[in-house]
Amino acid sequence: MNLILFGPPGAGKGTQAQFIVDQYRIPQISTGDMLRSAVKAQTPLGVRAKAVMDAGELVSDDIVLGLVGERLSSPDCENGFILDGFPRTIPQAKSLMVILEGLGRTINHVISLDVANEVLVQRLSGRRTCPECGKGFHVVFAPPKLEGLCDACGGKLLQRDDDLRETVLNRLSVYDQQTLPLKNYFIERGVLRHIDGTLPISDIQQQIRALLGVGSGDCP
Ligand code: AMP
């Protein structure tokens, strides 16, 4: 099962991708995570990407396609994969189709998580993460017991550079201009499915399960 999780930053793609990984035993391929790892490791690619990411702009198609192309050929993608945060431009989508054709595969579903921009700004600008254990919080919706500190390990919570309010606004405008046109591209191919991304997480999971069928992570 080859899937794309589609939607603006903050729509909940990462959260739902984790659910699909657990239920269907297929890997998540998040270009944002791959790029953040490269930035953290200070690889030449990461050094080039950092300023672009911090500004909320898109990294060049060449860089992202290099990362994804290599990853899709890995043995753990043989039974399927979930693309999260990719493709983000029409050229990326077209190149993806060429890569998949070369591998004798295709995209089965594109799941679009729809959320209005006002909600996204609130979600993203309040997001905090523990750099020690990776646990996520939100200053309003899921605050830590002690302000600024991780409940799980006591680490000092950080805000992602690109979750600063001004950058969030730019990321959403970049999304509207460069990524939203992909909806028509997927509609034309008959693979786009919509889910209301403001529903409770468990309701969204239920809808995903209704769409994809019972997964191998389900109890018999
Ligand atoms: P994300 O975590 O998916 O919101 O990605 C964080 C940042 O990484 C984005 O704002 C972009 O700068 C960069 N990025 C992630 N995926 C892509 C992509 N498919 N194309 C271009 N840039 C990307």
Side-chain angles (χ1 to χ4, degrees):
M1 189 162 41
N2 309 323
L3 309 174
I4 295 176
L5 269 176
F6 185 76
K13 299 187 297 296
T15 303
Q16 297 304 335
Q18 196 48 58
F19 165 73
I20 299 173
V21 168
D22 295 342
Q23 286 288 311
Y24 299 91
R25 312 277 189 236
I26 52 175
Q28 171 193 15
I29 302 175
S30 157
T31 42
D33 285 350
M34 289 163 107
L35 288 165
R36 277 185 289 279
S37 297
V39 169
K40 200 166 170 194
Q42 295 188 326
T43 65
L45 185 152
V47 171
R48 270 166 67 201
K50 183 171 171 22
V52 179
M53 292 171 74
D54 284 353
E57 299 288 334
L58 293 185
V59 171
S60 80
D61 289 343
D62 285 356
I63 289 187
V64 178
L65 281 163
L67 289 172
V68 174
E70 205 176 305
R71 185 69 186 83
L72 284 174
S73 323
S74 312
D76 69 330
C77 290
E78 270 169 19
N79 292 327
F81 52 79
I82 312 153
L83 289 168
D84 161 7
F86 176 92
R88 256 172 152 106
T89 62
I90 297 273
Q92 287 182 16
K94 287 186 174 162
S95 301
L96 171 66
M97 296 310 161
V98 173
I99 293 172
L100 291 179
E101 213 174 283
L103 296 169
R105 332 253 316 237
T106 185
I107 291 295
N108 304 110
H109 300 288
V110 177
I111 302 176
S112 171
L113 294 175
D114 303 326
V115 180
N117 277 6
E118 314 81 84
V119 179
L120 295 168
V121 174
Q122 207 184 10
R123 280 187 183 181
L124 289 166
S125 52
R127 197 157 71 165
R128 301 290 182 274
T129 315
C130 174
E132 310 295 332
C133 70
K135 194 170 163 58
F137 296 86
H138 190 281
V139 292
V140 178
F141 306 128
K145 291 194 185 82
L146 289 176
E147 197 183 325
L149 295 179
C150 176
D151 291 351
C153 73
K156 197 166 178 298
L157 301 182
L158 292 181
Q159 182 175 32
R160 255 169 64 172
D161 288 338
D162 61 353
D163 280 346
L164 293 169
R165 194 182 155 81
E166 284 311 307
T167 314
V168 164
L169 294 176
N170 193 40
R171 285 164 72 195
L172 294 177
S173 130
V174 167
Y175 177 83
D176 287 345
Q177 284 165 31
Q178 302 196 45
T179 308
L180 214 49
L182 277 174
K183 272 197 180 174
N184 278 338
Y185 182 86
F186 294 134
I187 288 171
E188 280 162 17
R189 280 153 190 79
V191 286
L192 190 69
R193 313 279 175 260
H194 288 278
I195 297 184
D196 177 353
T198 61
L199 291 172
I201 290 174
S202 57
D203 290 9
I204 298 176
Q205 290 172 345
Q206 225 173 349
Q207 293 200 22
I208 291 178
R209 221 187 286 200
L211 177 68
L212 304 182
V214 173
S216 52
D218 277 316
C219 294

